[in-house]
Amino acid sequence: DGGITQSPKYLFRKEGQNVTLSCEQNLNHDAMYWYRQDPGQGLRLIYYSQIVNDFQKGDIAEGYSVSREKKESFPLTVTSAQKNPTAFYLCATRDSLYEQYFGPGTRLTVT
Amino acid sequence: GEDVEQSLFLSVREGDSSVINCTYTDSSSTYLYWYKQEPGAGLQLLTYIFSNMDMKQDQRLTVLLNKKDKHLSLRIADTQTGDSAIYFCAETPGGKLIFGTGTRLQVFP
């Protein structure tokens, strides 16, 4: 898991509530990413940020929001507009050699 | 858009070789990666290959790249039960990392 922290490991929320997933890194990497993984499926890119104060939508950004105010932090907010928020969420960073490093993930369950 | 494709399952006997295949989509990808995911965990980078290489060997792992066919493979020699996991290939178009659908490798005694 390197120097990437995602907390908590398990998160439970009621439908209609926004929830923010944290991702912190001490690897000094510029680029950070959020992915969603559903059972039996690959990873899908939600948002990514290549530098502080800048981020881009990935393939499935609807219902999510992010901020990148600090190099070390890239929080993801799952809003009530996200129709199927229950999933495993993975944060990652990328170094200058294009190697990606993943956090341990947060499993979000919305009921 | 097009998907990065992998077969869903592979089952091998302990000690045999495993070959996991991947068809990617973006010929401009500078690097192509293989990741391993164990249950309930994040992804672990196994190896990668630079786009100007045909082959890379790293201990039990051999990566083959066919750029003409956009085909990538990962061979695991002497497969062990600890190799049981989901394996993802990934391409790198424009600063993003796009993952394949993942291949679940099951190793039986």
Side-chain angles (χ1 to χ4, degrees):
Chain A
D1 298 334
I4 302 173
T5 305
Q6 290 185 249
S7 60
K9 191 168 176 65
Y10 299 96
L11 192 53
F12 299 88
R13 280 294 182 270
K14 295 286 189 188
E15 194 173 326
Q17 293 179 333
N18 291 356
V19 59
T20 297
L21 281 60
S22 76
C23 178
E24 302 283 330
Q25 57 114 347
N26 62 5
L27 301 170
N28 200 35
H29 292 166
D30 285 318
M32 297 186 74
Y33 303 77
W34 274 106
Y35 295 90
R36 169 185 173 137
Q37 186 179 29
D38 293 284
Q41 297 190 32
L43 278 71
R44 292 184 289 169
L45 181 64
I46 305 172
Y47 267 99
Y48 65 107
S49 168
Q50 301 206 61
I51 200 165
V52 174
N53 291 322
D54 188 44
F55 48 83
Q56 288 82 38
K57 292 182 179 180
D59 300 318
I60 55 163
E62 187 176 345
Y64 298 98
S65 66
V66 292
S67 62
R68 187 83 188 278
E69 296 174 4
K70 299 186 300 181
K71 190 174 188 177
E72 302 78 19
S73 179
F74 190 40
L76 173 74
T77 297
V78 184
T79 76
S80 56
Q82 168 49 234
K83 292 184 173 55
N84 296 297
T86 294
F88 187 49
Y89 289 87
L90 285 161
C91 176
T93 68
R94 195 196 74 206
D95 68 11
S96 57
L97 295 178
Y98 285 84
E99 289 191 27
Q100 277 210 342
Y101 300 82
F102 282 82
T106 292
R107 188 167 298 280
L108 173 64
T109 302
V110 176
T111 57
Chain B
E2 296 178 60
D3 291 333
V4 178
E5 294 184 349
Q6 300 178 237
S7 52
L8 287 179
F9 297 102
L10 178 65
S11 185
V12 300
R13 188 179 299 276
E14 190 174 15
D16 287 351
S17 293
S18 309
V19 179
I20 302 170
N21 294 304
C22 169
T23 302
Y24 62 97
T25 63
D26 195 306
S27 57
S28 69
S29 292
T30 306
Y31 293 90
L32 294 143
Y33 296 88
W34 283 103
Y35 284 85
K36 176 183 180 182
Q37 185 182 33
E38 297 186 3
L43 275 68
Q44 171 194 359
L45 177 65
L46 278 180
T47 187
Y48 64 91
I49 188 166
F50 192 49
S51 60
N52 69 351
M53 298 169 66
D54 298 323
M55 185 183 84
K56 179 180 179 181
Q57 185 148 3
D58 185 359
Q59 298 181 338
R60 292 192 296 124
L61 305 178
T62 303
V63 179
L64 295 177
L65 175 60
N66 179 332
K67 286 189 70 175
K68 176 176 168 290
D69 296 336
K70 296 182 189 171
H71 185 263
L72 184 71
S73 69
L74 174 70
R75 178 178 181 270
I76 305 173
D78 187 25
T79 312
Q80 303 298 307
T81 54
D83 295 324
S84 293
I86 302 175
Y87 291 80
F88 293 93
C89 64
E91 59 178 358
T92 55
K96 297 189 292 184
L97 201 69
I98 305 296
F99 288 86
T101 47
T103 299
R104 183 179 295 275
L105 174 65
Q106 182 178 10
V107 182
F108 57 93

